[in-house]
Amino acid sequence: MKKVWVYLENGIFLEARSFGAEGTRTGEIVFNTSMTGYQEIVSDPSYAGQFITFTMPEIGNVGTNADDMESAGAYAKGIIVRNYQKRYSNFRAQSSLEDFLKRFDIMGITDIDTRFLTKVLREEGSMMMIASTEISDAGELKKILSQSPRIEEINYIKEVSTKKSYLHKSATYDAKEFCYKAPPKPKAKIIAIDFGVKRNILNNLTQAGLEVEVVPHNFKAEDLIEKYEKGEIDGVFLSNGPGDPLLLKDEHKEIKKLIDAKIPMFAICLGHQLLSISHGYPTFKLKFGHHGGNHPVKNVKTGRVEITAQNHNYNVPENIKEVAEVTHMNLFDNTIEGLKYKNSPIFSVQHHPEASPGPHESAYVFEEFAKAVVECKKNRSI
C-alpha cells in the first residue's frame, strides 16, 4: 500500500496508507456509525463530495457485488477505515472493496485512528479535508485545501441525477424462498424526481404498488402538472441526494409550483428538505450530521420508536410547524424527522425507511404514500 497524507481544515495532519484510487482529493469529512452495509453506503449518491469515516473498525470482509449497489455508480471522494481486509469471504462477493474503489475512482484510506477522527468531528463538527498519495507537505496541502471550493458551494445533483427519464423495474429477493419476486401490479403511476435516488427506494415504491417513472433533477413543473391534470400520473416523489439544499434555486421554484397545484407528494431526505425550503422555511446545517444505521426516531402519532438509517447534514427548522404537522422526531437530538403538510396531500421523512435497519420498522411510509395516491386518484375520477 502507498502512503497517503491527510490534512483537516482544523490543522490536523496525519499519515496513513492507501488502498483505493490514487491522487489528491478535497471533500467534506463525516463519520458513519453503521455496523454493516459499507457497499450500500459508498454507492449512495448522497455521499457525493464527502470522505466517509467508518466507525466499524473492520471493513472489506465481505467484498462487493453488483446486487448491493444503490446506484449505477459511486460518488464519494473517499472512505477512511481503521483496518482494511483485502482478503474477503462471502458467497455473494464478486470483487474486493479495493477493486470497487478503484473502478469508481474513490480513495481508500486505512491504518488510521478512526476513533480519534470521529471524536474530532463530534466535538468540532464536519469539516473540509484533503487527502493525497502525491503530496506529503502539510503546508502545501493546507494551501490547496484553502483554495478549493467547499461542499456547500458545489452542485453535485447535476453529477448524480439521471440524464434521461426511464421506467424503474424491480424484483425483490425473498430470503425464505431464495428467489426474486416481481412487484405487484401497479395501482397508480408516479414520477420520481432523481436528485441522487437510491435504487432500493425505487424498489420499495414499486413494491407498494406504484408504477415509477424516474426523471432528471432539471424537470419542469408545468409538464408534470399537465400530466397530472390529464390523469397520466397520480403523484410525485422527491428523492434523496447530496449537498446543500439551499443551493438548488431552480428546483425550489419548480417544487413550489407542484405544491401550489396540490399534487400528492412524498419525499425522503434531500427531498424532505427541499419541500421545507419551497414552503418558505430554509434549512440549517447540523454540527456533524446524522450518518448511520442505529438512530432512534419516534413516530409521534403511534408513540412507537423506530430504529432508522440516516444520512444528512441539513435539517428543517422548528418554525415549519406553522404549515406542517410533525410526524416523527429524532430521539438523539430532538430534530424533526417527518412532516405532514396542512391542507395538502404532501408528507416527507428525513430518515431512510428503505435501508431496513429496523429492519422494516419504517417501511410503512411507502404503503402510506401509495394509499394516499390511490385515494386522490379515486376522488379525482368521481
Side-chain angles (χ1 to χ4, degrees), residues 29-129:
I29 178 173
V30 298
F31 65 87
N32 186 295
T33 58
S34 296
M35 299 292 286
T36 60
Y38 58 78
Q39 183 183 345
E40 291 92 332
I41 292 166
V42 180
S43 60
D44 178 353
S46 297
Y47 279 108
Q50 294 179 320
F51 285 89
I52 310 164
T53 302
F54 285 99
T55 58
M56 176 64 180
E58 304 290 336
I59 299 292
N61 309 58
V62 295
T64 63
N65 65 79
D67 289 339
D68 288 344
M69 291 293 291
E70 283 289 1
S71 66
Y75 306 94
K77 288 298 184 77
I79 67 171
I80 303 173
V81 306
R82 180 66 187 93
N83 295 314
Y84 167 61
Q85 297 300 325
K86 188 179 182 74
R87 183 180 176 184
Y88 59 90
S89 177
N90 186 277
F91 75 98
R92 298 173 67 241
Q94 297 167 333
S95 67
S96 68
L97 177 58
E98 179 178 5
D99 291 339
F100 174 89
L101 295 180
K102 290 179 178 178
R103 183 163 75 251
F104 292 108
D105 197 31
I106 297 172
M107 297 188 79
I109 301 169
T110 187
D111 291 350
I112 197 166
D113 191 344
T114 52
R115 182 186 292 271
F116 166 72
L117 283 176
T118 300
K119 287 182 177 179
V120 168
L121 298 176
R122 185 185 64 191
E123 297 302 319
E124 300 184 36
S126 300
M127 63 185 74
M128 295 296 290
M129 64 160 275

Side-chain angles (χ1 to χ4, degrees), residues 251-266:
E251 286 79 359
H252 302 162
K253 296 175 183 177
E254 298 304 311
I255 293 171
K256 178 65 167 62
K257 295 175 185 177
L258 297 179
I259 293 170
D260 292 341
K262 294 191 179 297
I263 296 178
M265 280 194 284
F266 171 50

Side-chain angles (χ1 to χ4, degrees), residues 224-263:
L224 301 190
I225 293 171
E226 183 180 357
K227 288 183 178 181
Y228 179 70
E229 290 175 346
K230 290 181 177 179
E232 296 175 4
I233 64 171
D234 306 297
V236 172
F237 170 74
L238 307 179
S239 85
N240 61 294
D244 188 342
L246 291 174
L247 191 64
L248 308 178
K249 305 295 185 184
D250 292 338
E251 286 79 359
H252 302 162
K253 296 175 183 177
E254 298 304 311
I255 293 171
K256 178 65 167 62
K257 295 175 185 177
L258 297 179
I259 293 170
D260 292 341
K262 294 191 179 297
I263 296 178

Side-chain angles (χ1 to χ4, degrees), residues 167-182:
L167 283 176
H168 178 74
K169 305 291 185 181
S170 74
T172 299
Y173 186 75
D174 189 318
K176 293 182 178 179
E177 298 186 19
F178 303 101
C179 65
Y180 284 92
K181 291 187 175 181

Side-chain angles (χ1 to χ4, degrees), residues 297-370:
V297 166
K298 183 178 181 179
N299 184 316
V300 177
K301 290 184 177 181
T302 66
R304 292 184 61 188
V305 176
E306 304 164 14
I307 300 303
T308 70
Q310 307 259 343
N311 177 25
H312 62 102
N313 273 357
Y314 300 88
N315 222 85
V316 302
E318 283 290 320
N319 63 343
I320 190 70
K321 296 175 183 178
E322 295 171 357
V323 296
E325 172 192 356
V326 175
T327 59
H328 298 78
M329 294 290 295
N330 189 301
L331 295 183
F332 278 160
D333 58 7
N334 292 318
T335 52
I336 295 171
E337 287 280 350
L339 294 168
K340 170 67 176 71
Y341 287 88
K342 299 176 182 177
N343 304 314
S344 180
I346 301 172
F347 70 102
S348 60
V349 293
Q350 180 62 74
H351 53 277
H352 282 267
E354 85 291 340
S356 305
H360 303 296
E361 294 175 357
S362 299
Y364 61 85
V365 295
F366 295 104
E367 298 289 342
E368 288 186 353
F369 179 49

